[in-house]
């Protein structure tokens, strides 16, 4: 899973995430089911920081730096 882009718009902020050849858009505080090489994973856009985003992947937080 890799973060491809972020749209900042308050409560309507979104992150674009790539998993394999598929690209997903997830809105802040929402989750989606993504297909990964290890099988389906629930990915929730938990937090948007100044230079990072936090995704919860199957309930486990993962922070990605953004530019």
């Amino acid at each position: 899973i890799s973060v491809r882009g972020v749209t900042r718009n308050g409560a309507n902020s979104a992150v674009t995430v790539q998993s394999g050849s598929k690209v997903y858009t997830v809105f802040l505080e929402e989750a989606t089911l993504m297909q990964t090489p290890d099988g389906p994973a629930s990915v929730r856009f938990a937090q948007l920081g100044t230079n990072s985003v936090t995704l919860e992947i199957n309930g486990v937080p993962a922070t990605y730096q953004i530019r």
Side-chain angles (χ1 to χ4, degrees):
I1 292 178
S2 61
V3 174
R4 293 294 179 202
V6 175
T7 302
R8 295 177 184 272
N9 189 15
N12 293 323
S13 295
V15 63
T16 304
V17 179
Q18 184 172 359
S19 178
S21 62
K22 294 187 179 184
V23 177
Y24 302 85
T25 299
V26 185
F27 289 91
L28 187 60
E29 298 297 331
E30 292 186 4
T32 191
L33 193 62
M34 295 184 187
Q35 295 300 320
T36 71
D38 298 325
S42 173
V43 178
R44 179 176 169 268
F45 182 9
Q47 185 176 3
L48 176 59
T50 303
N51 297 315
S52 66
V53 296
T54 301
L55 304 177
E56 290 179 0
I57 303 168
N58 289 330
V60 179
T63 301
Y64 295 85
Q65 297 300 312
I66 55 175
R67 299 178 198 151

